[in-house]
């Protein structure tokens, strides 16, 4: 069973034709012991949240991505925002920075594997990177931080779309 975290109140369970999803309130996300995901479940979650083109599954059961920005200021702004977000969910990336390039590796150390925490952080990182690049194009002085609520809103939207797709045609997974 994949554990999907959906930002809502209360607990909801739903069965899909090929997979069983358990949807939980995000408020318990921090306190729960993570569970390693099967590779097929990782691929499904990457597809659900449109992450498959940007994040690569590694042989060591981690996710990897390189992000390039226009300059060091954008790269540093991105890292700062990811750091703030990571503290909020108590899950942190392994990364390195060389001028305008950030190399990111996500893995949950408690299980030495990918968990839903890594998928969610990958999703947040993609949203933060896009936000930094858009804001930089608009104004070099804009350092607004993308809030967890906005990322949660789009996470839910993706979940709902995927749910409708599976209900319509379970062969699309």
């Amino acid at each position: 069973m994949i554990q999907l975290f959906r930002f809502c109140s209360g607990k909801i369970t739903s069965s899909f034709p090929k997979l069983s999803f358990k949807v939980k309130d995000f408020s318990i996300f921090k306190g729960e012991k993570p569970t390693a995901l099967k590779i097929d479940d990782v691929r499904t979650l990457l597809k659900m949240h449109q992450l498959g083109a940007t994040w690569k599954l590694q042989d060591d059961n981690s996710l990897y991505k390189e992000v390039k920005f226009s300059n060091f200021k954008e790269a540093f702004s991105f890292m700062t925002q990811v750091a703030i977000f990571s503290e909020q969910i108590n899950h942190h990336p392994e990364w390195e920075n060389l001028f305008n390039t950030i190399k990111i590796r996500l893995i949950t150390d408690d299980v030495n594997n990918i968990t839903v925490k890594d998928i969610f952080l990958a999703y947040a990182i993609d949203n933060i990177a896009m936000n930094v690049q858009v804001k930089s194009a608009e104004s070099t002085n804009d350092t607004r931080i993308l809030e967890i609520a906005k990322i949660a809103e789009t996470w839910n939207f993706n979940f709902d779309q995927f749910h409708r797709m599976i209900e319509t045609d379970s062969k699309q997974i």
Side-chain angles (χ1 to χ4, degrees):
M1 178 182 290
I2 294 180
Q3 292 183 341
L4 279 187
F5 291 81
R6 183 165 184 207
F7 295 79
C8 59
S9 57
K11 294 180 183 178
I12 302 167
T13 55
S14 175
S15 293
F16 293 154
K18 288 188 174 181
L19 300 169
S20 179
F21 292 86
K22 188 174 184 184
V23 182
K24 296 184 177 184
D25 185 337
F26 185 71
S27 64
I28 63 171
F29 185 65
K30 285 184 180 183
E32 220 173 81
K33 184 173 171 35
T35 304
L37 295 172
K38 295 176 187 170
I39 293 301
D40 288 344
D41 295 341
V42 171
R43 287 187 182 108
T44 298
L45 290 169
L46 290 174
K47 179 179 178 180
M48 178 187 294
H49 295 290
Q50 296 94 38
L51 299 170
T54 58
W55 289 88
K56 305 298 176 215
L57 284 167
Q58 301 296 294
D59 291 337
D60 67 349
N61 294 327
S62 67
L63 292 172
Y64 178 81
K65 175 181 183 143
E66 285 188 26
V67 186
K68 286 194 176 209
F69 294 94
S70 298
N71 53 49
F72 179 75
K73 181 180 174 183
E74 277 187 14
F76 197 81
S77 175
F78 164 78
M79 290 181 74
T80 301
Q81 291 184 43
V82 170
I84 291 167
F85 186 86
S86 294
E87 282 296 307
Q88 291 176 7
I89 65 169
N90 193 29
H91 192 62
H92 308 86
E94 295 176 12
W95 55 14
E96 61 182 83
N97 167 240
L98 181 60
F99 182 58
N100 66 334
T101 302
I102 314 294
K103 296 178 181 180
I104 307 165
R105 178 177 177 260
L106 300 178
I107 190 167
T108 302
D109 292 330
D110 294 346
V111 295
N112 198 32
N113 211 321
I114 299 168
T115 67
V116 71
K117 288 183 175 187
D118 300 301
I119 304 291
F120 183 68
L121 185 53
Y123 182 74
I125 286 170
D126 277 8
N127 279 272
I128 292 167
M130 185 172 55
N131 185 58
V132 166
Q133 291 163 337
V134 167
K135 296 303 177 198
S136 180
E138 292 174 358
S139 167
T140 57
N141 296 322
D142 192 346
T143 57
R144 285 180 282 173
I145 294 174
L146 193 60
E147 295 180 15
I148 193 170
K150 185 64 177 168
I151 293 172
E153 181 182 318
T154 58
W155 173 272
N156 274 348
F157 179 77
N158 288 341
F159 178 87
D160 291 339
Q161 278 189 314
F162 194 77
H163 187 218
R164 283 189 294 276
M165 179 185 77
I166 291 175
E167 286 179 338
T168 303
D169 184 1
S170 64
K171 295 177 185 172
Q172 293 185 34
I173 292 184

